[in-house]
Amino acid sequence: MTIEFDNNLPIYLQIMNYLKREIVRGSLQPGDKIPSVRELAADLQINPNTVQRTFQELEREGIVETRRGLGRYVTSEGSKIMTIKKEMAGELLEHFIRGMQELGFKDQDIMAIVAEAVNDDSKESK
């Protein structure tokens, strides 16, 4: 696992976001075991306490679950994963729209640009 850390965001949040993306993308499937605190800390060369905090937050959000004596696993709740996916999509859209508005585009123009880009992309993938 390789993460390029951003100095402007706490490391535990960056690891959380990375793991969430891996789950949403399907690289980590529901029920998959995730690395232990020690494994992940060694792999990323960070303090194990940081990884522990990451896992605690993911567990609090219901994204991972601890099975006593077995480790931590990705939740099997498909609805939880879909909720995360929608939240992440919303954040991306919000960032994109705000950026486009800062460039001076009106909402109608933004929608036209997105529609054109989606149409172009679907033509290329055929």
Side-chain angles (χ1 to χ4, degrees):
M1 176 183 307
T2 306
I3 301 174
E4 294 217 12
F5 293 113
D6 177 356
N7 291 333
N8 299 319
L9 191 64
I11 291 174
Y12 84 95
L13 287 176
Q14 293 178 63
I15 299 168
M16 279 182 67
N17 290 335
Y18 175 82
L19 291 172
K20 285 179 181 180
R21 274 193 310 276
E22 292 298 297
I23 291 168
V24 167
R25 286 182 35 210
S27 298
L28 284 173
Q29 294 286 319
D32 280 357
K33 188 176 190 314
I34 59 175
S36 70
V37 170
R38 286 185 197 155
E39 290 170 336
L40 195 53
D43 192 26
L44 297 174
Q45 299 179 350
I46 60 172
N47 189 312
N49 292 331
T50 303
V51 177
Q52 182 63 33
R53 178 156 186 206
T54 300
F55 287 170
Q56 287 172 339
E57 290 297 316
L58 289 171
E59 201 164 334
R60 187 183 59 74
E61 290 184 17
I63 299 166
V64 300
E65 50 196 42
T66 299
R67 297 182 190 159
R68 185 174 223 124
L70 298 174
R72 289 186 176 87
Y73 293 81
V74 175
T75 184
S76 296
E77 290 183 44
S79 62
K80 184 65 181 174
I81 294 171
M82 185 53 70
T83 299
I84 296 165
K85 191 172 195 171
K86 287 179 181 178
E87 287 173 0
M88 292 176 86
E91 290 170 9
L92 284 171
L93 279 171
E94 183 180 322
H95 181 74
F96 170 75
I97 291 168
R98 193 175 329 113
M100 295 295 282
Q101 288 170 337
E102 287 173 2
L103 291 175
F105 287 99
K106 303 291 180 211
D107 291 349
Q108 197 168 12
D109 298 329
I110 296 169
M111 290 178 10
I113 291 168
V114 170
E116 183 178 329
V118 169
N119 286 334
D120 288 348
D121 189 48
S122 62
K123 288 176 187 174
E124 288 177 13
S125 62
K126 287 184 181 179

